[in-house]
Amino acid sequence: MLAVAREFFHQPESERMKHYSADSTKTTRVSTSFNVSTDKILNWRDYLRLHCFPIQDFINEWPENPVSFKEITAEYATSVRALVLRLLEAISESLGLERDHISNRLGTHAQHMAFNYYPPCPEPELTYGLPGHKDPTAITVLLQDQVSGLQVFKDDEWVAVYPIPNTFIVNIGDQMQVISNERYKSVLHRAVVNTEKERLSIPTFYFPSTDAVISPAQELIDGQTSPAVYKSFPFVEYWDKFWDRSLATASCLDAFRASTT
Ligand code: OGA
Ligand code: NI
């Protein structure tokens, strides 16, 4: 997967630009930074983003080149989805919920991939690959190459997550924070760039479908000791808010908190 992604970005600009769009509603597109319409400081990143569940709804839009791109991406996306479904079951059980609870809350499910390409940067202290943010997902499974760049915010400081060969990074996203009523917290993370080496990362973003309604699991709410931290909201409202702004440390979730008065 990493090899074919690298090949994609090493193609001539004209080949990559066939997919360029600044429109975040496009289901397959190449772009740069995060949201070029709203970013005040541009990030040192090019990316290909695509939808990959259900695969047959989207595969016709995916890049034709490199020639092996569709086949490898389809196989990879299918395998990662199987892993995600197992993780969702394990997390449900860890919360004392029915095994299929979280899966059932995500409507018909949605899965996207990003192919992040961070070229070497002459002045890395002036920008980021991606600034600090929390993923809008339920859960994110990140594949990265051997060049470090990912950092997570832990105990009041940024900590580098060094790549370990043949491993994934699994990050909790905002929707899991809501469904678990904050027993799982979405992780603040960012990507920095360096002067020496290009870096590739391939996150799989696993989401509710746009028609799903997200709220804390009823089983985890207790009026006395554990009131609902979030109200119930259509996932699409969160989604529109996420793309309407630049990536920001402040989570979009603040808009969906239950009133405390
Ligand atoms: C992302 C992300 C981190 C990385 O794409 O949401 O956080 O290491 N990527 O590229
Ligand atoms: Ni992220």
Side-chain angles (χ1 to χ4, degrees):
M1 188 70 270
L2 283 163
V4 78
R6 200 177 301 280
E7 252 185 86
F8 177 85
F9 286 101
H10 286 178
Q11 294 178 118
E13 187 178 356
S14 57
E15 191 64 39
R16 290 176 280 133
M17 286 301 280
K18 283 181 184 169
H19 304 279
Y20 181 82
S21 172
D23 175 0
S24 65
T25 65
K26 278 239 161 78
T27 50
T28 300
R29 68 185 183 113
V30 163
S31 192
T32 193
S33 191
F34 169 68
N35 182 347
V36 283
S37 334
T38 54
D39 293 339
K40 302 235 166 45
I41 298 171
L42 295 179
N43 301 295
W44 202 263
R45 172 182 79 139
D46 286 345
Y47 63 97
L48 164 65
R49 210 180 151 109
L50 51 78
H51 289 215
C52 48
F53 181 75
I55 285 183
Q56 65 274 14
D57 291 359
F58 302 106
I59 194 166
N60 292 333
E61 306 173 358
W62 295 358
E64 301 287 343
N65 292 310
V67 287
S68 58
F69 182 88
K70 286 187 185 187
E71 187 187 339
I72 289 171
T73 303
E75 187 188 346
Y76 178 81
T78 304
S79 305
V80 174
R81 180 164 190 267
L83 171 64
V84 166
L85 296 180
R86 290 180 64 189
L87 289 169
L88 295 181
E89 290 187 351
I91 293 171
S92 297
E93 287 195 344
S94 78
L95 290 166
L97 302 169
E98 294 293 323
R99 193 184 269 239
D100 56 1
H101 182 102
I102 296 172
S103 175
N104 289 341
R105 302 288 304 284
L106 304 182
T108 55
H109 297 197
Q111 181 182 353
H112 306 173
M113 286 169 74
F115 300 78
N116 294 322
Y117 180 74
Y118 304 102
C121 177
E123 294 185 280
E125 59 290 343
L126 295 182
T127 186
Y128 291 108
L130 276 172
H133 67 281
K134 294 176 180 178
D135 286 354
T137 55
I139 196 167
T140 303
V141 176
L142 180 87
L143 174 65
Q144 55 176 339
D145 70 7
Q146 291 308 299
V147 179
S148 52
L150 176 65
Q151 300 180 337
V152 297
F153 197 68
K154 186 173 183 291
D155 301 331
D156 284 332
E157 56 183 6
W158 288 102
V159 180
V161 180
Y162 296 112
I164 301 171
N166 305 311
T167 63
F168 290 120
I169 307 286
V170 178
N171 280 335
I172 297 295
D174 275 354
Q175 309 316 311
M176 189 72 79
Q177 178 165 323
V178 174
I179 294 169
S180 71
N181 204 32
E182 286 198 336
R183 296 211 202 160
Y184 282 89
K185 295 255 172 72
S186 63
V187 62
L188 182 61
H189 59 285
R190 67 183 186 185
V192 296
V193 285
N194 72 83
T195 54
E196 300 294 322
K197 286 184 175 144
E198 68 179 27
R199 173 169 181 263
L200 268 169
S201 78
I202 307 179
T204 292
F205 300 116
Y206 210 83
F207 293 106
S209 48
T210 41
D211 59 325
V213 174
I214 300 301
S215 63
Q218 206 57 47
E219 294 85 337
L220 302 176
I221 296 171
D222 169 326
Q224 297 299 312
T225 55
S226 170
V229 182
Y230 298 96
K231 55 190 183 187
S232 167
F233 56 89
F235 175 64
V236 68
E237 282 184 18
Y238 172 99
W239 187 241
D240 291 345
K241 205 175 274 299
F242 180 79
W243 281 103
D244 257 7
R245 46 174 230 158
S246 283
L247 281 185
T249 307
S251 169
C252 301
L253 271 188
D254 289 340
F256 302 100
R257 284 188 180 274
S259 67
T260 47
T261 49

